[in-house]
Amino acid sequence: NTRLWSDYLNVHLHPKSLYVIRQYMHDGDCGCLEAFGQGESLLQDPGCLEELEDRLHFYVEECDDLQGFQVLCDLHNGFSGVGAKVTELLYDEYSGKGILTWGLTPVLSDTRNYQKNLCRLMNTALGIVHLSSHSSLFCPLSLSGSLGIQ
């Protein structure tokens, strides 16, 4: 019985490595995480931010010689806002460590829906600006030559 992509995941992840955003699950009360501002506002909540910091510190304390972080983040939806706040947190908390950020975009997009394409363009632009300003190196990554932008 599979419901989500993670049901196909055969690797067992540590419980501290996952943080589920309940209101944006498939059956959540807020629908989809579609806008940069939605993602950014998630980490404005003190409870969410505290939980994220606790999980981060759990792994940082386990490291003998922490050299930096790698952040993989979707650019075309609200996760660009989440990634922007996470990289800002990493930049502030661990200023001497490198942050390599990969901005991911999909190959296919619905070219007929003008409003959705405009929203993707805005998310991508805001994501690139914010992620690159708090990263040591920002690398956009897509199989499409246009970063998903029409």
Side-chain angles (χ1 to χ4, degrees):
N1 185 16
T2 56
R3 291 185 27 216
L4 307 171
W5 69 267
S6 57
D7 294 336
Y8 294 102
L9 190 61
N10 292 327
V11 177
H12 297 286
L13 302 173
H14 191 280
K16 290 255 186 197
S17 65
L18 299 174
Y19 182 68
V20 178
I21 304 169
R22 299 248 178 249
Q23 63 264 39
Y24 291 106
M25 289 182 67
H26 293 283
D27 55 354
D29 55 351
C30 292
C32 294
L33 188 58
E34 292 182 350
F36 182 89
Q38 285 176 307
E40 200 174 36
S41 68
L42 278 174
L43 295 181
Q44 301 293 344
D45 175 34
C48 180
L49 186 59
E50 184 179 326
E51 180 71 24
L52 179 68
E53 287 177 338
D54 287 346
R55 290 168 185 262
L56 178 63
H57 290 151
F58 172 78
Y59 282 107
V60 169
E61 290 169 4
E62 292 293 318
C63 292
D64 291 333
D65 184 23
L66 178 68
Q67 295 181 359
F69 302 92
Q70 286 192 50
V71 178
L72 282 83
C73 181
D74 286 337
L75 289 177
H76 67 283
N77 56 23
F79 284 103
S80 60
V82 173
K85 292 307 271 185
V86 167
T87 54
E88 182 180 347
L89 170 74
L90 293 173
Y91 182 80
D92 292 342
E93 290 274 326
Y94 306 97
S95 59
K97 306 299 179 186
I99 303 171
L100 172 59
T101 306
W102 304 91
L104 310 171
T105 58
V107 174
L108 302 174
S109 64
D110 184 11
T111 57
R112 296 165 293 189
N113 191 338
Y114 175 76
Q115 189 165 0
K116 196 170 194 175
N117 282 335
L118 183 60
C119 187
R120 284 183 177 174
L121 174 64
M122 291 301 298
N123 289 335
T124 302
L126 288 168
I128 289 171
V129 168
H130 287 271
L131 289 166
S132 62
S133 67
H134 294 108
S135 299
S136 306
L137 177 66
F138 174 77
C139 182
L141 188 62
S142 179
L143 293 175
S144 161
S146 64
L147 291 176
I149 300 169
Q150 298 297 321

